[in-house]
Amino acid sequence: MGRTAAVSGMLAWRAIILVRRMPSVFIPSLVMPLFILVATAGAFHGVGALPIGTSDYLAFTIPFATIMGAGFAGVNAGTTLARDIEGGFVDRLISSPAPRVSLVAGPFTAAGMRSLFTTTVVLIAGTIGGVAPPGVLGTIVVYVMAAGFGVATALWSMGVALRARTVQSAPLMQLVVFVSIFTSVAYAPRELQHGWLRTIADWNPVTRILEASRATELGGASWSDVWPGLGAIALLLAVLGAWALTGLRRLGRD
Amino acid sequence: MNEAILAEGLVREFKGGIRAVDGVDLQVRPGEVYGFLGPNGAGKSTTVRMLATLLRPTGGSATVAGFDVASEAKSVRRSIGVALQDAAIDPFMTGRELLHLQGVLHGLSRAECRSTADRLLDRVGLTEAAERRVGTYSGGMRRRLDLALALVHEPVVLFLDEPTTGLDPTSRLALWEEVRRLNTEAGTTVFLTTQYLEEADQLAGRVGIIDGGRIVAEGTPQQLKAEVGDPALVITPADPERRDAAQEVLVRFGPEVEARPPGTAAARLPGGAARVAEAVRALDEAGISTASLDLHQPTLDDVFVAKTGRRLEGHGGGESPAAGRGKRGRRR
């Protein structure tokens, strides 16, 4: 266990410094959530008149932006792993006696940490835009939801990378993550959605994550708002964890 | 530990029924440098990947450092160092960071990682470049770092997969020197794959030649060359019209060599250099002037040709047995 933690920590550290040294990866993943925050809140300012639980669409958009930033961090974990597999760096890791689970645990830890960072930036931007911070407990919930989604998307993306073993699989990683966000309650609450979009939003785990984060962000959260979000994260981590680990087991077999 | 590496009927079949390795038997003794020679696609890297536990064999068995590669993979990984083809090194990390990472992968403490990194950087001459990102390193520096990374935990068996491919001659010589030093000073067993004949000749105590996933010849370089036969005398007549006449003279001394460059005459010369003067006199007496003369000692490439009927890629490709080394002369 101690070895797993030590190696995972080392690989998480590596993932963080690589992000810092690759501005082409770091800048978009930071700028996009901010862009979404500003552009969406600006474009849909009038939507605040609709029954969305707040008159301030910027406050409504903050959880969406934090989840988007977490999604970028998660996808980056997958693309980095795909690059490492393609370039042979993974061979170095798996030809050592280090626990193989670290290969997944390190990058997803880094994805969680990166999600916390982008969430902080988005919350600061929201505060500058006039949205009051959601209090200590509310802030913790927003962070947990973002980090949980970041880890889940990292597991998804790494599972893809471990099967496809090429950077060319990156669009698939992104597609599923962004479709899952956009078919949730990213732009509008479920009450304003109809037909098949509403059905997808009802079943989409991202909906629960966003609703938990949004309820706390808008200041009226209770345990009944938060637990479905925690449940959705637990479900995603269980399913996508199995997805990533089965991919890991395939290394060296095919 | 009786054998550092022991493989019996090792097979790796990929999807679609492609047998990259087709029943390889190997016995490598502790402290030996074993050269695994073959052209691209012969099965060298697949064999190394199986022995290094990166790929599961689909048939046969193998032990490395006394541990089974399939059922005791973790023990194998503790005992081996691996420097794979193309030096798979993250270009965004520094040399020191990579050594530290490698140390953690092998369970070294922080202090051990630091001292090991210092020692190995010094050993491979990269101390000054230690804080630079690997992306800025030359090919030779990358290979040296790759070697250092493989040595972090002082392995008993070291796998080097085409370690000098793409290197300039100076870097190649430096790496050979390091491998020799490692073998003689630390007694490390080295399993070296290469497509360079000279590399196998220079470094390996024994050589296995692999082609089409099977070992077609094995022995010391001297034994293998001796199997090919006597040196070949290859001459280029000054007058190309006299080639057939020159060939008639040379076959009086030994059997004709058929694989030779166009426009030359060649024959095996039992007795080697001692009989060159005699052959030259015979050519003189027949009135044949020579533009060039070459006594070609058998090489591992000749061994490869003798065993497979083909030349190794990048080593003459249909050219003469005289294309490489030998005594060259020029007369009249």
Side-chain angles (χ1 to χ4, degrees):
Chain A
M1 194 63 194
R3 286 250 312 120
T4 305
V7 176
S8 301
M10 190 71 198
L11 293 177
W13 165 80
R14 171 181 174 252
I16 298 285
I17 63 164
L18 287 190
V19 168
R20 223 181 55 211
R21 289 173 190 178
M22 288 193 280
S24 59
V25 172
F26 177 62
I27 292 173
S29 65
L30 189 64
V31 168
M32 272 308 287
L34 289 174
F35 176 76
I36 283 167
L37 189 70
V38 174
T40 310
F44 298 103
H45 184 68
V47 176
L50 291 170
I52 58 171
T54 177
S55 59
D56 187 353
Y57 197 74
L58 180 62
F60 184 85
T61 306
I62 284 172
F64 170 30
T66 62
I67 292 299
M68 199 67 177
F72 269 109
V75 167
N76 178 246
T79 51
T80 302
L81 180 58
R83 181 175 67 86
D84 284 346
I85 293 172
E86 222 168 31
F89 191 73
V90 162
D91 286 339
R92 180 176 304 288
L93 307 179
I94 63 175
S95 65
S96 78
R100 285 198 178 190
V101 72
S102 305
L103 199 64
V104 168
F108 83 54
T109 305
M113 288 163 70
R114 279 187 61 196
S115 304
L116 298 180
F117 177 71
T118 50
T119 298
T120 303
V121 173
V122 169
L123 287 176
I124 290 170
T127 306
I128 292 168
V131 178
V136 175
L137 276 178
T139 304
I140 289 172
V141 172
V142 172
Y143 274 116
V144 168
M145 294 300 144
F149 187 69
V151 171
T153 51
L155 289 170
W156 154 253
S157 304
M158 287 192 286
V160 173
L162 288 162
R163 285 166 174 82
R165 297 171 194 179
T166 166
V167 179
Q168 287 171 8
S169 61
L172 175 64
M173 301 172 197
Q174 290 167 349
L175 181 75
V176 172
V177 170
F178 296 140
V179 165
S180 74
I181 294 173
F182 292 128
T183 56
S184 69
V185 290
Y187 288 112
R190 276 192 280 169
E191 294 73 25
L192 295 181
Q193 296 186 22
H194 297 284
W196 60 271
L197 268 176
R198 169 65 190 264
T199 306
I200 292 173
D202 282 342
W203 287 94
N204 188 344
V206 183
T207 293
R208 313 289 167 173
I209 295 169
L210 269 172
E211 283 177 347
S213 187
R214 188 168 283 151
T216 53
E217 182 63 37
L218 300 181
S222 65
W223 174 240
S224 62
D225 294 313
V226 174
W227 78 257
L230 292 174
I233 285 174
L235 176 73
L236 286 175
L237 294 185
V239 172
L240 297 174
W243 162 255
L245 289 175
T246 49
L248 189 62
R249 233 174 266 140
R250 286 183 175 203
L251 271 184
R253 280 198 191 162
D254 297 344
Chain B
M1 181 168 69
N2 294 326
E3 304 292 349
I5 300 169
L6 179 66
E8 287 173 342
L10 201 61
V11 173
R12 177 65 207 203
E13 191 172 316
F14 289 101
K15 282 176 187 165
I18 300 159
R19 280 197 163 213
V21 175
D22 190 11
V24 162
D25 296 318
L26 285 169
Q27 275 186 306
V28 181
R29 290 182 292 273
E32 190 176 6
V33 178
Y34 187 90
F36 206 41
L37 185 66
N40 286 334
K44 301 187 300 289
S45 293
T46 306
T47 304
V48 166
R49 291 179 74 80
M50 284 191 284
L51 296 174
T53 76
L54 291 169
L55 203 57
R56 275 176 184 264
T58 52
S61 63
T63 61
V64 175
F67 302 107
D68 189 278
V69 295
S71 61
E72 298 171 295
K74 210 156 189 174
S75 299
V76 172
R77 290 179 200 134
R78 277 194 204 100
S79 312
I80 62 170
V82 185
L84 293 173
Q85 222 169 330
D86 301 329
I89 297 175
D90 192 326
F92 296 101
M93 295 179 78
T94 69
R96 187 181 296 282
E97 285 169 349
L98 276 163
L99 281 161
H100 189 84
L101 170 65
Q102 189 78 3
V104 172
L105 293 176
H106 283 276
L108 270 57
S109 69
R110 188 183 287 255
E112 286 170 329
C113 284
R114 205 175 302 125
S115 61
T116 304
D118 286 341
R119 179 171 52 78
L120 288 172
L121 284 165
D122 181 51
R123 177 170 190 161
V124 298
L126 289 175
T127 302
E128 281 181 24
E131 316 303 335
R132 268 169 48 196
R133 290 188 200 177
V134 173
T136 66
Y137 284 19
S138 68
M141 290 165 81
R142 279 171 179 245
R143 289 290 184 180
R144 279 184 279 144
L145 177 63
D146 202 15
L147 182 64
L149 289 166
L151 299 176
V152 157
H153 57 300
E154 297 175 359
V156 290
V157 180
L158 179 64
F159 290 99
L160 299 176
D161 192 10
E162 305 205 6
T164 62
T165 298
L167 292 190
D168 60 82
T170 311
S171 302
R172 184 172 297 171
L173 287 174
L175 204 92
W176 287 358
E177 197 46 49
E178 191 52 44
V179 172
R180 274 195 205 100
R181 191 149 68 102
L182 195 66
N183 177 249
T184 50
E185 288 178 11
T188 309
T189 306
V190 180
F191 188 90
L192 168 93
T193 80
T194 182
Q195 52 180 317
Y196 296 128
L197 304 159
E198 196 185 354
E199 189 158 278
D201 223 351
Q202 288 283 326
L203 290 178
R206 276 193 314 136
V207 172
I209 297 180
I210 185 168
D211 186 46
R214 289 171 179 271
I215 292 188
V216 293
E218 193 179 48
T220 65
Q222 293 73 25
Q223 282 170 344
L224 291 172
K225 288 180 216 168
E227 281 178 24
V228 174
D230 299 308
L233 180 64
V234 184
I235 68 124
T236 308
D239 177 4
E241 300 289 317
R242 307 295 312 276
R243 197 208 72 84
D244 291 343
Q247 188 63 53
E248 278 173 28
V249 172
L250 290 185
V251 294
R252 283 189 234 148
F253 295 87
E256 181 177 355
V257 174
E258 289 184 4
R260 59 174 187 262
T264 63
R268 296 273 166 218
L269 201 60
R275 297 198 65 202
V276 170
E278 198 183 330
V280 169
R281 271 197 301 276
L283 286 166
D284 272 344
E285 284 163 13
I288 298 166
S289 303
T290 58
S292 72
L293 178 149
D294 186 3
L295 183 65
H296 172 75
Q297 299 292 343
T299 66
L300 288 175
D301 195 25
D302 298 323
V303 177
F304 192 80
V305 173
K307 299 290 179 184
T308 68
R310 293 180 291 111
R311 289 202 173 281
L312 266 168
E313 287 168 43
H315 291 277
E319 282 188 13
S320 76
R325 296 152 291 279
K327 291 178 184 174
R328 278 191 179 274
R330 191 180 175 85
R331 300 184 68 247
R332 280 206 281 185

